[in-house]
Amino acid sequence: MPLEITTSLKKMLSLEGRFKVIQGATSSGKTYGIVPIIWDRCLAEPYIRATIVAETMPALKDGCIDIFKTFMMEEGRWRDHRWNGTDFIYTAENHSKLQFKSFDSVGKAKASGKRRLLFLNEANHIPYPIADALIIRSDEIWMDFNADSEFWAHTEIIPRENASFLKLTYKDNEAISTAVLEDLMHKKARAEEEERSGQKGYFWNWWQVYGLGEVGNLQGAVFNNWRLFVLLLYIFCNLCSCYRFRI
């Protein structure tokens, strides 16, 4: 089955600039589109190296590596002898290499060398010092994420003049399965129920991030509640001090 040309894929192919930042809802097709884009770039330019990075190797195996193998096999393009299963590198006929790797320290990221293309998958789970060490050694950078909360991509990357930003939802992905779409519509209905009741809970917050592709505010809510708690504790302690009570 050939790769389906979805609205998500078309929008991502139109991005320009050194940084291509894709913030997306679940099942928006962002990762399923970026992996083939990176590979086609490897085929178009000989002797380059592209690196796909995730937080951990298990995350890569279950995500980008599985996506890469699946679309290559479905299109009849997979060749076993070109896959190094030890180093997780696939070498094209033009000698370009697609590498899948995770990094647990800044030192290892620095030692990984330079590359033509970098894809940070689920970038919000990758610490900024590691991401920065990889970015500075890469000519072109792609990244995707579900925005559970604001993180370094919003503050350090998107404001740059050479960055393109794209927000995708399930509506951009015509290849979404019926089962996944049904589940999304169930969560959407639950989110709407919570909003009508005035109790914006789990489903409402979930839908903002994974249904609409918006930036979540859970971290901010926790932080604000913590600051309120500290303020109330401070006032209470001062009142007790005034009345000479011991806490």
Side-chain angles (χ1 to χ4, degrees), residues 72-114:
M72 289 284 284
M73 289 178 179
E74 287 181 345
E75 294 196 342
R77 299 161 67 180
W78 179 266
R79 302 293 182 266
D80 286 333
H81 69 280
R82 297 195 173 279
W83 174 244
N84 182 330
T86 301
D87 296 327
F88 301 100
I89 297 174
Y90 194 94
T91 304
E93 292 183 8
N94 65 354
H95 305 287
S96 288
K97 297 180 183 294
L98 178 58
Q99 172 191 44
F100 300 85
K101 198 170 181 65
S102 65
F103 298 89
D104 57 11
S105 73
V106 174
K108 291 178 182 178
K110 288 181 178 179
S112 66
K114 295 183 178 181

Side-chain angles (χ1 to χ4, degrees), residues 47-242:
Y47 295 97
I48 68 168
R49 180 161 68 108
T51 307
I52 296 180
V53 178
E55 181 183 20
T56 64
M57 281 310 302
L60 275 171
K61 290 176 182 178
D62 293 338
C64 290
I65 292 176
D66 183 64
I67 290 171
F68 176 67
K69 285 185 174 181
T70 299
F71 98 81
M72 289 284 284
M73 289 178 179
E74 287 181 345
E75 294 196 342
R77 299 161 67 180
W78 179 266
R79 302 293 182 266
D80 286 333
H81 69 280
R82 297 195 173 279
W83 174 244
N84 182 330
T86 301
D87 296 327
F88 301 100
I89 297 174
Y90 194 94
T91 304
E93 292 183 8
N94 65 354
H95 305 287
S96 288
K97 297 180 183 294
L98 178 58
Q99 172 191 44
F100 300 85
K101 198 170 181 65
S102 65
F103 298 89
D104 57 11
S105 73
V106 174
K108 291 178 182 178
K110 288 181 178 179
S112 66
K114 295 183 178 181
R115 62 194 59 79
R116 178 73 179 84
L117 295 161
L118 172 67
F119 171 30
L120 300 174
N121 177 230
E122 297 186 359
N124 52 325
H125 297 305
I126 300 173
Y128 181 63
I130 291 176
D132 189 47
L134 295 169
I135 287 171
I136 201 170
R137 291 165 176 80
S138 307
D139 295 332
E140 182 178 336
I141 301 94
W142 290 71
M143 61 185 72
D144 71 354
F145 51 87
N146 300 118
D148 304 273
S149 61
E150 186 178 87
F151 73 111
W152 56 261
H154 297 100
T155 57
E156 303 300 327
I157 305 299
I158 294 175
R160 300 191 187 193
E161 291 184 359
N162 58 352
S164 294
F165 174 74
L166 177 64
K167 184 169 65 177
L168 298 172
T169 73
Y170 66 96
K171 294 180 180 180
D172 296 301
N173 181 19
E174 291 84 356
I176 191 171
S177 71
T178 301
V180 171
L181 185 58
E182 288 177 351
D183 187 59
L184 284 172
M185 292 303 97
H186 170 73
K187 287 185 168 63
K188 180 175 184 288
R190 292 298 305 275
E192 290 171 346
E193 289 175 6
E194 289 185 348
E195 187 168 20
R196 284 194 298 269
S197 69
Q199 300 293 325
K200 295 180 180 179
Y202 170 80
F203 287 104
W204 188 88
N205 284 287
W206 190 96
W207 184 250
Q208 298 305 301
V209 176
Y210 298 101
L212 302 178
E214 300 292 346
V215 177
N217 58 8
L218 182 59
Q219 260 191 3
V222 172
F223 179 69
N224 289 337
N225 289 340
W226 171 250
R227 288 202 304 180
L228 178 61
F229 172 76
V230 171
L231 178 61
L232 291 174
L233 181 62
Y234 175 79
I235 294 172
F236 176 72
C237 290
N238 275 278
L239 286 173
C240 289
S241 177
C242 290

